[in-house]
Amino acid sequence: METLFCKVDPVDPDKKIIEKAGEIIKAGGLVAFPTETVYGLGGDAINPGASEKIYAAKGRPSDNPLIVHIAELDKLEALCKKVPDEMYKLAEVFWPGPLTMIVDKSSLVPKETTGGLDTVAIRMPDHNTALEFIKASGGYIAAPSANTSGRPSPTLASHVRTDLDGRIDMIIDGGEVGIGVESTIVDLSEGEPTILRPGYVTREMLSRVLGRVDIDTTILSGTDKKAPKAPGMKYRHYAPKGSMTLVEGETGAVVKRINEEVAAAKAKGLKCGVLCTLETEEDINADVKKCVGSRNDEAAIARSLYRVLREFDEEGAEVIFSESFKTDGFGQAVMNRLLKAAGYNVEKI
Ligand code: TXA
Ligand code: MG
């Protein structure tokens, strides 16, 4: 299949391109599109055949449910068995935005879209191109991140092209995304509202609206024997091809340890990559050094994280080391993705 590649102004996308994308979706095809978090791979959420195509294009296990994206609040009721009050409260504050909510699904949503579950994940992205595209497509777009399963999520259209060229109908290039890690997922389908995946919208932000909010204990721990409730969180994910280790401790000591590890790996003939920061870059010695911004700026780290993980692959890093970051606020989402990329391989010093 030939994949159409179309550049747009993300704020004011060309109407003809959006119309074309809408036609492709209505005919059961697949279109990758930018959102404020990461690029999504869109298909018609209420067409079971389209969801099956999404799984096939990504090489994704079909028990891993998709998020349904909407552009207008009046599309919500048709997707849900009942819209809980909490959902309206959170939508008012955080939509459009990087928050996905899980609720019991209606019969409109096919099981192919929800990986066989009776619940559905829904979000309204904060991105003009995404919103225009969803409207032109009938209003319900099922979209996982537009990467091959197991690879870092795409933050640039070129990442989507690397993974999915020839496997999907169209890629809409809206430039680099703003946030860089996937949306926060909160489960409203049973018991207390519970965060299943951390993101830009933090527990503190949700608590200000809802009061008590729990958090899935598997999020920052690879040792918890319990399976995470979001099926996708159990897979090794976000991962570069090289084997990755996080080093945690006082910054000076971390730099020293990383340099020792790099020297040892080099002695074995391995090409080394280091994910470093403005504060440590100068003191790190490695074949491939990637700076993600200041240690104290989680938003900057989030924005460059997946791009840098892909660059390690492109430059052939076989072993990768990274410093660790704060785990409060948005830092929790950043560390959750880094820990997964490293397969929870952490050296504490
Ligand atoms: O920011 C985002 O959320 C991006 C953009 C494209 O919107 N999408 C995204 O989709 O990250 P994906 O498929 O890569 O991740 C969706 C996660 C998976 O871990 C999946 O298991 C979980 O959401 N999920 C979806 N529906 C669920 C449900 N009904 N119950 C529990 N987990 C669910
Ligand atoms: Mg994904």
Side-chain angles (χ1 to χ4, degrees), residues 33 35-41 58 60 63-67 69 98 100 102-103 113-114 117 119-121 123 125 143-147 153 181-185 196-197 229-233 237-238:
F33 63 102
T35 80
E36 80 281 34
T37 56
V38 298
Y39 274 76
L41 174 59
K58 277 184 63 100
R60 175 175 176 134
D63 69 343
N64 189 1
L66 307 174
I67 296 174
H69 296 67
T100 296
I102 294 175
V103 296
T113 299
T114 64
L117 298 175
T119 53
V120 59
R123 105 170 177 99
S145 48
N147 51 288
S153 293
V181 299
E182 305 84 347
S183 61
T184 305
I185 302 180
L196 306 187
R197 179 174 74 182
K229 203 179 162 210
M233 297 300 275
H237 223 149
Y238 317 113

mmCIF file of all heavy atoms in Angstrom, residues 33 35-41 58 60 63-67 69 98 100 102-103 113-114 117 119-121 123 125 143-147 153 181-185 196-197 229-233 237-238, ligand 1:
data_model
loop_
_atom_site.group_PDB
_atom_site.id
_atom_site.type_symbol
_atom_site.label_atom_id
_atom_site.label_comp_id
_atom_site.label_asym_id
_atom_site.label_seq_id
_atom_site.Cartn_x
_atom_site.Cartn_y
_atom_site.Cartn_z
ATOM 1 N N PHE A 33 -2.269 10.720 12.864
ATOM 2 C CA PHE A 33 -2.516 12.153 13.047
ATOM 3 C C PHE A 33 -1.836 12.656 14.323
ATOM 4 O O PHE A 33 -1.616 11.891 15.264
ATOM 5 C CB PHE A 33 -4.039 12.425 13.103
ATOM 6 C CG PHE A 33 -4.721 11.760 14.278
ATOM 7 C CD1 PHE A 33 -5.075 12.489 15.406
ATOM 8 C CD2 PHE A 33 -5.009 10.399 14.253
ATOM 9 C CE1 PHE A 33 -5.700 11.880 16.495
ATOM 10 C CE2 PHE A 33 -5.627 9.780 15.346
ATOM 11 C CZ PHE A 33 -5.971 10.516 16.453
ATOM 12 N N THR A 35 -1.493 14.605 17.917
ATOM 13 C CA THR A 35 -2.290 15.105 19.048
ATOM 14 C C THR A 35 -1.313 15.902 19.920
ATOM 15 O O THR A 35 -0.135 15.992 19.589
ATOM 16 C CB THR A 35 -2.928 13.973 19.899
ATOM 17 O OG1 THR A 35 -1.953 13.440 20.786
ATOM 18 C CG2 THR A 35 -3.525 12.866 19.034
ATOM 19 N N GLU A 36 -1.792 16.436 21.042
ATOM 20 C CA GLU A 36 -0.882 17.195 21.916
ATOM 21 C C GLU A 36 0.059 16.272 22.694
ATOM 22 O O GLU A 36 1.073 16.726 23.214
ATOM 23 C CB GLU A 36 -1.692 18.093 22.869
ATOM 24 C CG GLU A 36 -2.282 17.410 24.095
ATOM 25 C CD GLU A 36 -3.554 16.627 23.794
ATOM 26 O OE1 GLU A 36 -3.687 16.040 22.692
ATOM 27 O OE2 GLU A 36 -4.423 16.586 24.696
ATOM 28 N N THR A 37 -0.273 14.963 22.774
ATOM 29 C CA THR A 37 0.578 14.045 23.557
ATOM 30 C C THR A 37 1.600 13.350 22.660
ATOM 31 O O THR A 37 2.793 13.598 22.758
ATOM 32 C CB THR A 37 -0.285 12.989 24.272
ATOM 33 O OG1 THR A 37 -1.075 12.290 23.304
ATOM 34 C CG2 THR A 37 -1.161 13.631 25.330
ATOM 35 N N VAL A 38 1.102 12.455 21.776
ATOM 36 C CA VAL A 38 1.936 11.738 20.806
ATOM 37 C C VAL A 38 1.085 11.563 19.541
ATOM 38 O O VAL A 38 -0.109 11.832 19.571
ATOM 39 C CB VAL A 38 2.371 10.340 21.339
ATOM 40 C CG1 VAL A 38 3.226 10.469 22.602
ATOM 41 C CG2 VAL A 38 1.176 9.422 21.603
ATOM 42 N N TYR A 39 1.698 11.104 18.444
ATOM 43 C CA TYR A 39 0.908 10.813 17.237
ATOM 44 C C TYR A 39 0.031 9.584 17.473
ATOM 45 O O TYR A 39 0.449 8.620 18.143
ATOM 46 C CB TYR A 39 1.824 10.569 16.029
ATOM 47 C CG TYR A 39 2.211 11.847 15.327
ATOM 48 C CD1 TYR A 39 3.177 12.698 15.874
ATOM 49 C CD2 TYR A 39 1.592 12.236 14.127
ATOM 50 C CE1 TYR A 39 3.523 13.887 15.242
ATOM 51 C CE2 TYR A 39 1.934 13.415 13.483
ATOM 52 C CZ TYR A 39 2.888 14.239 14.043
ATOM 53 O OH TYR A 39 3.221 15.417 13.426
ATOM 54 N N GLY A 40 -1.206 9.619 16.929
ATOM 55 C CA GLY A 40 -2.126 8.495 17.046
ATOM 56 C C GLY A 40 -2.313 7.821 15.692
ATOM 57 O O GLY A 40 -2.124 8.449 14.647
ATOM 58 N N LEU A 41 -2.681 6.523 15.733
ATOM 59 C CA LEU A 41 -3.017 5.798 14.503
ATOM 60 C C LEU A 41 -4.528 5.590 14.492
ATOM 61 O O LEU A 41 -5.046 4.749 15.225
ATOM 62 C CB LEU A 41 -2.284 4.454 14.440
ATOM 63 C CG LEU A 41 -2.690 3.554 13.267
ATOM 64 C CD1 LEU A 41 -2.452 4.249 11.941
ATOM 65 C CD2 LEU A 41 -1.938 2.235 13.319
ATOM 66 N N LYS A 58 0.068 -2.220 13.613
ATOM 67 C CA LYS A 58 1.023 -1.986 14.699
ATOM 68 C C LYS A 58 1.737 -3.244 15.155
ATOM 69 O O LYS A 58 2.718 -3.177 15.888
ATOM 70 C CB LYS A 58 0.270 -1.444 15.933
ATOM 71 C CG LYS A 58 -0.001 0.031 15.935
ATOM 72 C CD LYS A 58 -0.672 0.440 17.250
ATOM 73 C CE LYS A 58 0.171 0.224 18.490
ATOM 74 N NZ LYS A 58 0.850 1.387 19.027
ATOM 75 N N ARG A 60 0.137 -5.236 17.188
ATOM 76 C CA ARG A 60 -0.225 -5.117 18.609
ATOM 77 C C ARG A 60 -1.106 -6.293 19.029
ATOM 78 O O ARG A 60 -1.996 -6.689 18.290
ATOM 79 C CB ARG A 60 -1.004 -3.817 18.785
ATOM 80 C CG ARG A 60 -1.580 -3.560 20.175
ATOM 81 C CD ARG A 60 -2.210 -2.177 20.157
ATOM 82 N NE ARG A 60 -2.882 -1.836 21.376
ATOM 83 C CZ ARG A 60 -2.737 -0.652 21.984
ATOM 84 N NH1 ARG A 60 -1.936 0.250 21.487
ATOM 85 N NH2 ARG A 60 -3.412 -0.389 23.078
ATOM 86 N N ASP A 63 -5.590 -8.084 22.647
ATOM 87 C CA ASP A 63 -6.256 -7.950 23.953
ATOM 88 C C ASP A 63 -5.935 -6.585 24.572
ATOM 89 O O ASP A 63 -6.253 -6.325 25.723
ATOM 90 C CB ASP A 63 -5.817 -9.067 24.920
ATOM 91 C CG ASP A 63 -4.360 -8.930 25.347
ATOM 92 O OD1 ASP A 63 -3.597 -8.185 24.675
ATOM 93 O OD2 ASP A 63 -3.983 -9.560 26.346
ATOM 94 N N ASN A 64 -5.289 -5.721 23.800
ATOM 95 C CA ASN A 64 -4.868 -4.426 24.341
ATOM 96 C C ASN A 64 -5.770 -3.330 23.775
ATOM 97 O O ASN A 64 -5.619 -2.926 22.634
ATOM 98 C CB ASN A 64 -3.397 -4.201 23.968
ATOM 99 C CG ASN A 64 -2.818 -2.983 24.661
ATOM 100 O OD1 ASN A 64 -3.502 -2.318 25.439
ATOM 101 N ND2 ASN A 64 -1.577 -2.688 24.363
ATOM 102 N N PRO A 65 -6.741 -2.853 24.587
ATOM 103 C CA PRO A 65 -7.800 -1.983 24.062
ATOM 104 C C PRO A 65 -7.309 -0.624 23.540
ATOM 105 O O PRO A 65 -6.262 -0.134 23.935
ATOM 106 C CB PRO A 65 -8.710 -1.778 25.272
ATOM 107 C CG PRO A 65 -7.879 -2.106 26.458
ATOM 108 C CD PRO A 65 -6.877 -3.116 26.024
ATOM 109 N N LEU A 66 -8.123 -0.034 22.661
ATOM 110 C CA LEU A 66 -7.787 1.251 22.035
ATOM 111 C C LEU A 66 -8.530 2.384 22.741
ATOM 112 O O LEU A 66 -9.583 2.163 23.338
ATOM 113 C CB LEU A 66 -8.212 1.211 20.560
ATOM 114 C CG LEU A 66 -7.682 0.013 19.768
ATOM 115 C CD1 LEU A 66 -8.287 0.004 18.355
ATOM 116 C CD2 LEU A 66 -6.162 0.049 19.684
ATOM 117 N N ILE A 67 -7.999 3.592 22.634
ATOM 118 C CA ILE A 67 -8.685 4.765 23.175
ATOM 119 C C ILE A 67 -9.585 5.353 22.084
ATOM 120 O O ILE A 67 -9.152 5.494 20.935
ATOM 121 C CB ILE A 67 -7.666 5.830 23.641
ATOM 122 C CG1 ILE A 67 -6.831 5.287 24.813
ATOM 123 C CG2 ILE A 67 -8.367 7.131 24.039
ATOM 124 C CD1 ILE A 67 -5.700 6.213 25.254
ATOM 125 N N HIS A 69 -11.295 8.525 20.554
ATOM 126 C CA HIS A 69 -11.118 9.985 20.593
ATOM 127 C C HIS A 69 -12.361 10.666 20.048
ATOM 128 O O HIS A 69 -12.870 10.281 18.986
ATOM 129 C CB HIS A 69 -9.905 10.386 19.750
ATOM 130 C CG HIS A 69 -8.594 9.859 20.279
ATOM 131 N ND1 HIS A 69 -8.287 8.511 20.285
ATOM 132 C CD2 HIS A 69 -7.529 10.483 20.816
ATOM 133 C CE1 HIS A 69 -7.081 8.347 20.815
ATOM 134 N NE2 HIS A 69 -6.589 9.527 21.145
ATOM 135 N N PRO A 98 -4.982 16.153 27.803
ATOM 136 C CA PRO A 98 -4.308 14.860 27.891
ATOM 137 C C PRO A 98 -4.837 13.953 29.005
ATOM 138 O O PRO A 98 -4.078 13.462 29.829
ATOM 139 C CB PRO A 98 -2.843 15.246 28.129
ATOM 140 C CG PRO A 98 -2.930 16.548 28.859
ATOM 141 C CD PRO A 98 -4.145 17.254 28.330
ATOM 142 N N THR A 100 -7.510 10.623 29.635
ATOM 143 C CA THR A 100 -8.371 9.554 29.123
ATOM 144 C C THR A 100 -9.155 8.983 30.293
ATOM 145 O O THR A 100 -8.580 8.732 31.349
ATOM 146 C CB THR A 100 -7.503 8.450 28.480
ATOM 147 O OG1 THR A 100 -6.820 9.011 27.355
ATOM 148 C CG2 THR A 100 -8.337 7.267 28.023
ATOM 149 N N ILE A 102 -11.911 5.959 31.663
ATOM 150 C CA ILE A 102 -12.478 4.634 31.374
ATOM 151 C C ILE A 102 -13.814 4.477 32.087
ATOM 152 O O ILE A 102 -13.916 4.726 33.290
ATOM 153 C CB ILE A 102 -11.506 3.525 31.813
ATOM 154 C CG1 ILE A 102 -10.247 3.597 30.946
ATOM 155 C CG2 ILE A 102 -12.157 2.142 31.723
ATOM 156 C CD1 ILE A 102 -9.167 2.654 31.339
ATOM 157 N N VAL A 103 -14.832 4.088 31.309
ATOM 158 C CA VAL A 103 -16.187 3.891 31.845
ATOM 159 C C VAL A 103 -16.808 2.658 31.177
ATOM 160 O O VAL A 103 -16.252 2.133 30.204
ATOM 161 C CB VAL A 103 -17.087 5.126 31.552
ATOM 162 C CG1 VAL A 103 -16.571 6.360 32.269
ATOM 163 C CG2 VAL A 103 -17.195 5.402 30.045
ATOM 164 N N THR A 113 -12.756 -2.935 19.404
ATOM 165 C CA THR A 113 -12.119 -1.673 19.794
ATOM 166 C C THR A 113 -11.642 -1.710 21.239
ATOM 167 O O THR A 113 -10.644 -1.093 21.595
ATOM 168 C CB THR A 113 -13.117 -0.505 19.574
ATOM 169 O OG1 THR A 113 -13.444 -0.465 18.181
ATOM 170 C CG2 THR A 113 -12.541 0.833 19.997
ATOM 171 N N THR A 114 -12.352 -2.463 22.103
ATOM 172 C CA THR A 114 -12.020 -2.460 23.532
ATOM 173 C C THR A 114 -11.248 -3.713 23.948
ATOM 174 O O THR A 114 -11.177 -4.032 25.138
ATOM 175 C CB THR A 114 -13.295 -2.347 24.399
ATOM 176 O OG1 THR A 114 -14.104 -3.525 24.182
ATOM 177 C CG2 THR A 114 -14.092 -1.115 24.058
ATOM 178 N N LEU A 117 -13.087 -6.028 26.272
ATOM 179 C CA LEU A 117 -13.570 -5.547 27.579
ATOM 180 C C LEU A 117 -14.966 -4.909 27.475
ATOM 181 O O LEU A 117 -15.391 -4.493 26.395
ATOM 182 C CB LEU A 117 -12.607 -4.500 28.156
ATOM 183 C CG LEU A 117 -11.183 -4.963 28.446
ATOM 184 C CD1 LEU A 117 -10.327 -3.779 28.900
ATOM 185 C CD2 LEU A 117 -11.177 -6.055 29.509
ATOM 186 N N THR A 119 -15.586 -2.207 29.100
ATOM 187 C CA THR A 119 -15.345 -0.784 29.363
ATOM 188 C C THR A 119 -14.715 -0.143 28.137
ATOM 189 O O THR A 119 -14.182 -0.837 27.270
ATOM 190 C CB THR A 119 -14.399 -0.614 30.568
ATOM 191 O OG1 THR A 119 -13.238 -1.403 30.330
ATOM 192 C CG2 THR A 119 -15.057 -1.033 31.863
ATOM 193 N N VAL A 120 -14.784 1.196 28.093
ATOM 194 C CA VAL A 120 -14.177 1.916 26.970
ATOM 195 C C VAL A 120 -13.378 3.112 27.503
ATOM 196 O O VAL A 120 -13.782 3.753 28.469
ATOM 197 C CB VAL A 120 -15.252 2.376 25.944
ATOM 198 C CG1 VAL A 120 -16.304 3.284 26.587
ATOM 199 C CG2 VAL A 120 -14.604 3.092 24.746
ATOM 200 N N ALA A 121 -12.238 3.365 26.882
ATOM 201 C CA ALA A 121 -11.391 4.509 27.244
ATOM 202 C C ALA A 121 -11.697 5.639 26.257
ATOM 203 O O ALA A 121 -11.736 5.416 25.048
ATOM 204 C CB ALA A 121 -9.920 4.108 27.158
ATOM 205 N N ARG A 123 -11.108 9.922 25.158
ATOM 206 C CA ARG A 123 -10.458 11.216 25.404
ATOM 207 C C ARG A 123 -10.746 12.198 24.281
ATOM 208 O O ARG A 123 -11.055 11.798 23.149
ATOM 209 C CB ARG A 123 -8.961 11.017 25.653
ATOM 210 C CG ARG A 123 -8.005 11.381 24.566
ATOM 211 C CD ARG A 123 -6.577 11.325 25.144
ATOM 212 N NE ARG A 123 -5.580 11.598 24.114
ATOM 213 C CZ ARG A 123 -4.995 12.779 23.944
ATOM 214 N NH1 ARG A 123 -5.305 13.797 24.721
ATOM 215 N NH2 ARG A 123 -4.099 12.956 22.998
ATOM 216 N N PRO A 125 -8.714 15.117 22.474
ATOM 217 C CA PRO A 125 -7.374 15.716 22.420
ATOM 218 C C PRO A 125 -7.411 17.236 22.260
ATOM 219 O O PRO A 125 -8.338 17.784 21.667
ATOM 220 C CB PRO A 125 -6.740 15.053 21.191
ATOM 221 C CG PRO A 125 -7.870 14.547 20.368
ATOM 222 C CD PRO A 125 -9.036 14.310 21.284
ATOM 223 N N ALA A 143 -7.746 5.236 18.458
ATOM 224 C CA ALA A 143 -6.347 5.487 18.130
ATOM 225 C C ALA A 143 -5.402 5.110 19.259
ATOM 226 O O ALA A 143 -5.444 5.709 20.333
ATOM 227 C CB ALA A 143 -6.129 6.957 17.765
ATOM 228 N N PRO A 144 -4.546 4.136 18.995
ATOM 229 C CA PRO A 144 -3.400 3.935 19.869
ATOM 230 C C PRO A 144 -2.288 4.855 19.402
ATOM 231 O O PRO A 144 -2.438 5.551 18.387
ATOM 232 C CB PRO A 144 -3.031 2.476 19.592
ATOM 233 C CG PRO A 144 -3.380 2.286 18.151
ATOM 234 C CD PRO A 144 -4.573 3.184 17.880
ATOM 235 N N SER A 145 -1.178 4.883 20.112
ATOM 236 C CA SER A 145 -0.020 5.627 19.621
ATOM 237 C C SER A 145 0.428 5.001 18.295
ATOM 238 O O SER A 145 0.328 3.786 18.113
ATOM 239 C CB SER A 145 1.098 5.580 20.660
ATOM 240 O OG SER A 145 1.294 4.252 21.113
ATOM 241 N N ALA A 146 0.931 5.841 17.371
ATOM 242 C CA ALA A 146 1.182 5.394 15.992
ATOM 243 C C ALA A 146 2.593 4.826 15.799
ATOM 244 O O ALA A 146 3.289 5.167 14.855
ATOM 245 C CB ALA A 146 0.935 6.553 15.025
ATOM 246 N N ASN A 147 2.991 3.945 16.722
ATOM 247 C CA ASN A 147 4.288 3.279 16.625
ATOM 248 C C ASN A 147 4.077 1.783 16.403
ATOM 249 O O ASN A 147 3.002 1.265 16.705
ATOM 250 C CB ASN A 147 5.068 3.478 17.933
ATOM 251 C CG ASN A 147 4.220 3.107 19.147
ATOM 252 O OD1 ASN A 147 3.296 3.834 19.499
ATOM 253 N ND2 ASN A 147 4.499 1.971 19.747
ATOM 254 N N SER A 153 6.720 5.706 21.545
ATOM 255 C CA SER A 153 5.629 6.407 20.851
ATOM 256 C C SER A 153 6.203 7.528 19.979
ATOM 257 O O SER A 153 7.223 8.117 20.302
ATOM 258 C CB SER A 153 4.668 7.016 21.865
ATOM 259 O OG SER A 153 4.000 6.007 22.571
ATOM 260 N N VAL A 181 4.589 12.651 26.080
ATOM 261 C CA VAL A 181 4.225 11.339 26.631
ATOM 262 C C VAL A 181 2.702 11.203 26.589
ATOM 263 O O VAL A 181 1.980 12.193 26.551
ATOM 264 C CB VAL A 181 4.747 11.089 28.075
ATOM 265 C CG1 VAL A 181 6.262 11.135 28.119
ATOM 266 C CG2 VAL A 181 4.148 12.068 29.061
ATOM 267 N N GLU A 182 2.224 9.949 26.594
ATOM 268 C CA GLU A 182 0.809 9.676 26.394
ATOM 269 C C GLU A 182 -0.045 10.235 27.537
ATOM 270 O O GLU A 182 0.447 10.480 28.636
ATOM 271 C CB GLU A 182 0.566 8.159 26.284
ATOM 272 C CG GLU A 182 1.393 7.463 25.220
ATOM 273 C CD GLU A 182 2.788 7.092 25.706
ATOM 274 O OE1 GLU A 182 3.206 7.580 26.785
ATOM 275 O OE2 GLU A 182 3.459 6.337 25.000
ATOM 276 N N SER A 183 -1.359 10.322 27.257
ATOM 277 C CA SER A 183 -2.311 10.903 28.216
ATOM 278 C C SER A 183 -2.355 10.131 29.533
ATOM 279 O O SER A 183 -2.060 8.937 29.593
ATOM 280 C CB SER A 183 -3.712 10.901 27.588
ATOM 281 O OG SER A 183 -4.127 9.569 27.305
ATOM 282 N N THR A 184 -2.771 10.826 30.573
ATOM 283 C CA THR A 184 -3.103 10.201 31.859
ATOM 284 C C THR A 184 -4.353 9.354 31.644
ATOM 285 O O THR A 184 -5.288 9.801 30.988
ATOM 286 C CB THR A 184 -3.444 11.302 32.897
ATOM 287 O OG1 THR A 184 -2.347 12.211 32.965
ATOM 288 C CG2 THR A 184 -3.735 10.711 34.264
ATOM 289 N N ILE A 185 -4.371 8.130 32.195
ATOM 290 C CA ILE A 185 -5.599 7.320 32.127
ATOM 291 C C ILE A 185 -6.169 7.173 33.528
ATOM 292 O O ILE A 185 -5.466 6.739 34.450
ATOM 293 C CB ILE A 185 -5.327 5.917 31.547
ATOM 294 C CG1 ILE A 185 -4.713 6.032 30.147
ATOM 295 C CG2 ILE A 185 -6.607 5.091 31.518
ATOM 296 C CD1 ILE A 185 -4.417 4.687 29.487
ATOM 297 N N LEU A 196 -4.457 4.663 36.028
ATOM 298 C CA LEU A 196 -3.847 3.439 35.495
ATOM 299 C C LEU A 196 -2.566 3.742 34.726
ATOM 300 O O LEU A 196 -1.750 2.860 34.510
ATOM 301 C CB LEU A 196 -4.821 2.705 34.560
ATOM 302 C CG LEU A 196 -6.205 2.372 35.116
ATOM 303 C CD1 LEU A 196 -6.955 1.488 34.112
ATOM 304 C CD2 LEU A 196 -6.111 1.670 36.456
ATOM 305 N N ARG A 197 -2.447 4.986 34.255
ATOM 306 C CA ARG A 197 -1.218 5.395 33.558
ATOM 307 C C ARG A 197 -0.999 6.871 33.877
ATOM 308 O O ARG A 197 -1.890 7.686 33.635
ATOM 309 C CB ARG A 197 -1.372 5.198 32.043
ATOM 310 C CG ARG A 197 -0.134 5.632 31.242
ATOM 311 C CD ARG A 197 -0.240 5.293 29.759
ATOM 312 N NE ARG A 197 -1.166 6.167 29.055
ATOM 313 C CZ ARG A 197 -1.470 6.071 27.751
ATOM 314 N NH1 ARG A 197 -0.926 5.105 27.020
ATOM 315 N NH2 ARG A 197 -2.317 6.914 27.200
ATOM 316 N N LYS A 229 -3.917 -2.785 35.528
ATOM 317 C CA LYS A 229 -5.294 -2.879 35.018
ATOM 318 C C LYS A 229 -5.420 -2.389 33.580
ATOM 319 O O LYS A 229 -6.316 -2.805 32.856
ATOM 320 C CB LYS A 229 -6.254 -2.135 35.944
ATOM 321 C CG LYS A 229 -7.652 -2.699 35.760
ATOM 322 C CD LYS A 229 -8.691 -2.084 36.609
ATOM 323 C CE LYS A 229 -10.047 -2.438 35.997
ATOM 324 N NZ LYS A 229 -11.047 -1.435 36.239
ATOM 325 N N ALA A 230 -4.561 -1.465 33.149
ATOM 326 C CA ALA A 230 -4.550 -1.098 31.721
ATOM 327 C C ALA A 230 -3.707 -2.159 31.018
ATOM 328 O O ALA A 230 -2.497 -2.223 31.244
ATOM 329 C CB ALA A 230 -3.954 0.282 31.525
ATOM 330 N N PRO A 231 -4.317 -3.005 30.195
ATOM 331 C CA PRO A 231 -3.572 -4.125 29.625
ATOM 332 C C PRO A 231 -2.260 -3.709 28.963
ATOM 333 O O PRO A 231 -1.263 -4.413 29.071
ATOM 334 C CB PRO A 231 -4.544 -4.708 28.601
ATOM 335 C CG PRO A 231 -5.897 -4.350 29.126
ATOM 336 C CD PRO A 231 -5.731 -3.016 29.779
ATOM 337 N N GLY A 232 -2.262 -2.517 28.332
ATOM 338 C CA GLY A 232 -1.064 -2.088 27.624
ATOM 339 C C GLY A 232 0.127 -1.845 28.539
ATOM 340 O O GLY A 232 1.273 -1.866 28.099
ATOM 341 N N MET A 233 -0.128 -1.600 29.820
ATOM 342 C CA MET A 233 0.966 -1.269 30.731
ATOM 343 C C MET A 233 1.785 -2.503 31.096
ATOM 344 O O MET A 233 2.839 -2.389 31.710
ATOM 345 C CB MET A 233 0.439 -0.582 31.995
ATOM 346 C CG MET A 233 -0.247 0.745 31.749
ATOM 347 S SD MET A 233 0.809 1.990 30.985
ATOM 348 C CE MET A 233 1.623 2.661 32.453
ATOM 349 N N HIS A 237 7.760 -1.820 26.732
ATOM 350 C CA HIS A 237 7.122 -0.750 26.004
ATOM 351 C C HIS A 237 8.107 0.362 25.846
ATOM 352 O O HIS A 237 9.077 0.411 26.577
ATOM 353 C CB HIS A 237 6.024 -0.237 26.928
ATOM 354 C CG HIS A 237 4.738 0.018 26.232
ATOM 355 N ND1 HIS A 237 3.557 -0.121 26.858
ATOM 356 C CD2 HIS A 237 4.444 0.415 24.989
ATOM 357 C CE1 HIS A 237 2.584 0.182 26.033
ATOM 358 N NE2 HIS A 237 3.097 0.512 24.888
ATOM 359 N N TYR A 238 7.860 1.302 24.993
ATOM 360 C CA TYR A 238 8.631 2.534 24.974
ATOM 361 C C TYR A 238 10.122 2.248 24.857
ATOM 362 O O TYR A 238 10.948 3.046 25.259
ATOM 363 C CB TYR A 238 8.405 3.350 26.265
ATOM 364 C CG TYR A 238 6.977 3.416 26.739
ATOM 365 C CD1 TYR A 238 6.566 2.816 27.917
ATOM 366 C CD2 TYR A 238 6.030 4.090 25.982
ATOM 367 C CE1 TYR A 238 5.245 2.891 28.341
ATOM 368 C CE2 TYR A 238 4.714 4.163 26.398
ATOM 369 C CZ TYR A 238 4.333 3.566 27.574
ATOM 370 O OH TYR A 238 3.047 3.636 27.988
HETATM 371 O O1 TXA B 1 -2.062 10.185 24.605
HETATM 372 C C1 TXA B 1 -2.621 9.138 24.293
HETATM 373 O O2 TXA B 1 -3.397 8.549 25.065
HETATM 374 C C2 TXA B 1 -2.315 8.549 22.906
HETATM 375 C C3 TXA B 1 -2.881 9.504 21.865
HETATM 376 C C4 TXA B 1 -2.762 8.967 20.469
HETATM 377 O O3 TXA B 1 -4.199 9.839 22.175
HETATM 378 N N1 TXA B 1 -2.859 7.235 22.772
HETATM 379 C C5 TXA B 1 -2.331 6.148 23.406
HETATM 380 O O4 TXA B 1 -2.930 4.946 23.087
HETATM 381 O O5 TXA B 1 -1.392 6.207 24.176
HETATM 382 P P1 TXA B 1 -2.274 3.522 23.408
HETATM 383 O O6 TXA B 1 -3.159 2.540 22.735
HETATM 384 O O7 TXA B 1 -0.854 3.531 23.014
HETATM 385 O O8 TXA B 1 -2.444 3.348 24.944
HETATM 386 C C6 TXA B 1 -3.739 3.126 25.475
HETATM 387 C C7 TXA B 1 -3.633 2.487 26.844
HETATM 388 C C8 TXA B 1 -3.177 1.046 26.786
HETATM 389 O O9 TXA B 1 -2.270 0.826 27.859
HETATM 390 C C9 TXA B 1 -4.485 0.299 27.010
HETATM 391 O O10 TXA B 1 -4.271 -0.961 27.593
HETATM 392 C C10 TXA B 1 -5.252 1.233 27.918
HETATM 393 O O11 TXA B 1 -4.947 2.503 27.402
HETATM 394 N N2 TXA B 1 -6.713 1.066 27.808
HETATM 395 C C11 TXA B 1 -7.506 1.384 26.753
HETATM 396 N N3 TXA B 1 -8.779 1.035 26.989
HETATM 397 C C12 TXA B 1 -8.812 0.500 28.239
HETATM 398 C C13 TXA B 1 -9.845 -0.068 29.057
HETATM 399 N N4 TXA B 1 -11.093 -0.142 28.634
HETATM 400 N N5 TXA B 1 -9.489 -0.538 30.286
HETATM 401 C C14 TXA B 1 -8.200 -0.456 30.730
HETATM 402 N N6 TXA B 1 -7.189 0.051 29.984
HETATM 403 C C15 TXA B 1 -7.485 0.523 28.768
#
